[in-house]
Amino acid sequence: ILSEAASASLMSPLNVTTDDLKLNRGVRGLPNVLETATNYPDAWKGGIWRPADIARIETIASRGLLSMAAKYRQRYLRQFYQYGWDNLQSVSDDPVAFVIPAGQPNAGSVSRFVEILMAQGIEVYQMTRELHAKTEKGQVTFGEVPLGSFIVFTNQPQRSNILSLFERQKYPHRLLPNGDAEVPYDVAGWTLPLQMGVDHLTVWQLQGANASSIKLLSNIDEARAVMNLDPQKVPFAKQPNPLKTNPRIGLYKGFTGSMDEGWTRFVLDTYQIPFHSIPDKDMRSGNLDFDAIILPSDTENMIVKGLTTTRYPDEFAGGIGEAGVENLKKYVAGGGKLICFDASCAMVIKQFNLPIKNVLTGLKRSEFYNPGSVVGLNVDGKSPLAKGLSEDTAAYFSDSSAFEILSEPPAVAGGLTRPKDIKIVARYAPKNTLLSGWMLGEKYLNGKIALAETGYGKGKIILFAFRPQHRGQSWGTFPFIFNAMEK
């Protein structure tokens, strides 16, 4: 049970007017923050908003929850038990199981996927004998399930969770009266096998599953043994470093936004890839002795301008500044590699005069909207950046970008590049791009560039239109990052 509240500005009170609130339409699932609704029973009309108010409402919510749980203890326990019992009953419209087939090339990702399931209390079985299954509704004949596969039955207390993780989300098409997409509270699609690049089969009927043909896994090392992986010393252990070379990696770490940089750092730490954080002062001074520099998904203002000196000490303010931009140009022109995730691409495209544009810029929320969904990519398997990825790869798109090459490049600077120098590594699928979640205006995304590489002087710039490390969950697109960092 978690809760969160709108923040004051650091620890300073804010005077929030009714006009301010009128501007916040369609946020967090509320069409109008000034109107009372079922999920907003006491609409706030504005006033002074303090950190103390945040603490007060959090305390009220927590005490209310604990009081209700104590007062209706028996009812909650009985209903919780009944909920689990109901999930054990077969449902005609639900699959009987999901199979994680043996022989997948990404054994490390499969192991982590199974470990995530087990950590949530989901029962996962190992096949000890061959089984046969119907993997399509209405299928007449049974197909063979490869030995060494893992099975997750749906008739267990975690049924709803299992279906939510494995099935593709179909978020409702909800528009406001003015035609804008209604903003959901968070993302719209999250299908975990798609995010992690793990294949699975939906089973509608299974033949031969009994105590002699399946075995309940008690720990992740039993699954890893089946996949010929070494045992783990600790839960969710770090992964082997996938890089074949030993590049010097720099990760930009500004003071305006920690989230995307933090997830990038989390991925690098998980795979034991050495790196150095690059603060604003090093960007401004040109202290950039790296083979590759990663810019997390931050906007141009966040990177270049940073925090203001009127509210923050000088040591935290200013961003990389124009000096930092010029130093980045010199770094790449001299042979360095700049890897940009999503929002940071806009700054690099503009400042480096790249002949590329984001076709989604300027579109209204009534024309295009994707708050967070899994989409399909068409990948050029011949590109070194695509090593280890399939031609059809799922990626996570969250208010992200889509590129197009300009026929006439802008003014050339620093020995830059012409359109023919740009190599397209991946495009969004030409049709049926949405795999899980919700998207309005898919036509604007279809076939557009999702990942590109371009020369700049002696160096390279790699532009990810999406975030390949989204929330540390999108294991399926991590190989793009690893390939990009190689010398």
Side-chain angles (χ1 to χ4, degrees):
I1 305 294
L2 304 174
S3 60
E4 58 182 328
S7 175
S9 181
L10 294 177
M11 296 304 290
S12 303
L14 293 174
N15 182 22
V16 182
T17 67
T18 302
D19 289 338
D20 292 331
L21 294 172
K22 285 179 180 178
L23 297 175
N24 287 292
R25 300 181 65 87
V27 296
R28 293 291 189 178
L30 298 173
N32 189 337
V33 297
L34 289 168
E35 293 181 358
T36 296
T38 304
N39 58 340
Y40 192 40
D42 188 11
W44 187 56
K45 304 300 181 181
I48 299 297
W49 182 245
R50 306 174 179 86
D53 296 317
I54 297 174
R56 181 175 57 84
I57 65 172
E58 295 282 5
T59 301
I60 292 171
S62 299
R63 286 177 175 171
L65 173 65
L66 294 172
S67 297
M68 290 288 287
K71 185 175 181 180
Y72 299 104
R73 177 177 178 273
Q74 288 187 335
R75 180 188 297 182
Y76 281 126
L77 290 174
R78 169 56 61 182
Q79 289 180 343
F80 185 78
Y81 169 82
Q82 188 63 47
Y83 175 79
W85 176 262
D86 291 342
N87 277 338
L88 296 176
Q89 314 310 309
S90 61
V91 179
S92 59
D93 290 336
D94 289 346
V96 299
F98 296 98
V99 168
I100 305 163
Q104 299 190 41
N106 49 343
S109 297
V110 174
S111 171
R112 182 54 54 93
F113 177 68
V114 171
E115 190 172 12
I116 290 171
L117 299 181
M118 295 175 67
Q120 298 178 61
I122 294 173
E123 296 176 349
V124 182
Y125 289 82
Q126 169 199 340
M127 274 180 49
T128 56
R129 292 185 182 178
E130 291 182 356
L131 299 176
H132 294 80
K134 294 181 180 179
T135 55
E136 294 182 15
K137 256 189 173 180
Q139 184 177 344
V140 178
T141 58
F142 284 86
E144 185 177 307
V145 180
L147 191 62
S149 301
F150 302 105
I151 302 176
V152 180
F153 293 98
T154 56
N155 64 333
Q156 55 176 293
Q158 289 277 356
R159 172 194 291 270
S160 298
N161 188 20
I162 293 166
L163 294 174
S164 180
L165 291 172
F166 276 90
E167 291 186 331
R168 302 190 182 200
Q169 280 71 53
K170 296 180 180 179
Y171 193 88
H173 183 72
R174 296 174 63 93
L175 303 179
L176 298 174
N178 65 355
D180 285 356
E182 182 180 290
V183 178
Y185 182 80
D186 199 80
V187 300
W190 51 84
T191 309
L192 194 58
L194 287 177
Q195 286 196 69
M196 296 190 69
V198 174
D199 294 334
H200 74 282
L201 302 172
T202 303
V203 176
W204 298 95
Q205 195 172 342
L206 193 62
Q207 194 176 65
N210 52 49
S212 64
S213 59
I214 58 174
K215 173 191 174 185
L216 178 64
L217 296 176
S218 59
N219 60 72
I220 188 58
D221 283 342
E222 292 179 346
R224 291 178 66 84
V226 175
M227 293 183 281
N228 296 316
L229 296 174
D230 294 333
Q232 291 187 165
K233 295 181 179 179
V234 295
F236 295 97
K238 293 183 182 292
Q239 300 293 297
N241 186 332
L243 302 187
K244 305 302 182 185
T245 56
N246 188 29
R248 294 162 297 168
I249 305 297
L251 173 61
Y252 171 64
K253 185 178 183 180
F255 292 106
T256 53
S258 62
M259 192 64 71
D260 203 64
E261 182 273 336
W263 286 125
T264 307
R265 186 157 27 96
F266 173 76
V267 172
L268 297 178
D269 283 340
T270 298
Y271 281 88
Q272 305 181 76
I273 299 173
F275 69 97
H276 296 274
S277 294
I278 309 175
D280 289 327
K281 63 178 182 180
D282 284 2
M283 287 286 198
R284 293 193 292 259
S285 67
N287 184 18
L288 305 176
D289 185 21
F290 302 102
D291 295 305
I293 292 176
I294 300 174
L295 295 181
S297 184
D298 294 330
T299 65
E300 181 176 7
N301 278 342
M302 294 170 69
I303 296 172
V304 179
K305 295 183 179 180
L307 302 175
T308 63
T309 54
T310 57
R311 291 183 57 83
Y312 301 91
D314 290 343
E315 62 184 299
F316 302 121
I320 70 172
E322 293 303 321
V325 172
E326 291 305 312
N327 287 331
L328 275 178
K329 290 181 181 179
K330 293 177 183 176
Y331 162 78
V332 180
K337 185 187 295 183
L338 186 60
I339 302 169
C340 312
F341 293 163
D342 203 349
S344 67
C345 293
M347 184 276 286
V348 173
I349 290 171
K350 173 185 173 182
Q351 297 289 349
F352 285 66
N353 294 317
L354 300 182
I356 297 171
K357 71 173 182 177
N358 179 9
V359 298
L360 304 180
T361 300
L363 292 179
K364 300 176 182 177
R365 212 166 68 209
S366 58
E367 296 175 299
F368 179 85
Y369 185 64
N370 185 329
S373 302
V374 186
V375 299
L377 303 181
N378 283 1
V379 179
D380 178 6
K382 297 179 182 178
S383 169
L385 291 178
K387 184 179 179 181
L389 291 124
S390 65
E391 292 185 1
D392 297 315
T393 292
Y396 206 88
F397 188 106
S398 181
D399 292 321
S400 298
S401 310
F403 300 137
E404 192 172 76
I405 299 174
L406 298 174
S407 56
E408 292 295 329
V412 174
L416 164 72
T417 152
R418 299 168 296 280
K420 68 178 182 179
D421 297 322
I422 299 173
K423 299 176 182 177
I424 300 171
V425 181
R427 292 182 180 271
Y428 297 107
K431 61 180 181 179
N432 300 322
T433 311
L434 180 65
L435 300 180
S436 179
W438 181 41
M439 180 158 53
L440 181 66
E442 184 177 301
K443 65 181 181 180
Y444 293 103
L445 195 66
N446 290 344
K448 296 300 186 290
I449 299 170
L451 174 56
E453 177 184 357
T454 181
Y456 186 90
K458 297 179 181 178
K460 293 180 180 179
I461 299 173
I462 297 172
L463 301 168
F464 285 88
F466 58 98
R467 279 176 273 172
Q469 73 334 356
H470 183 265
R471 293 183 176 177
Q473 297 174 345
S474 52
W475 284 53
T477 48
F478 287 176
F480 279 131
I481 307 173
F482 306 149
N483 295 334
M485 290 189 297
E486 293 279 19
K487 287 185 180 180

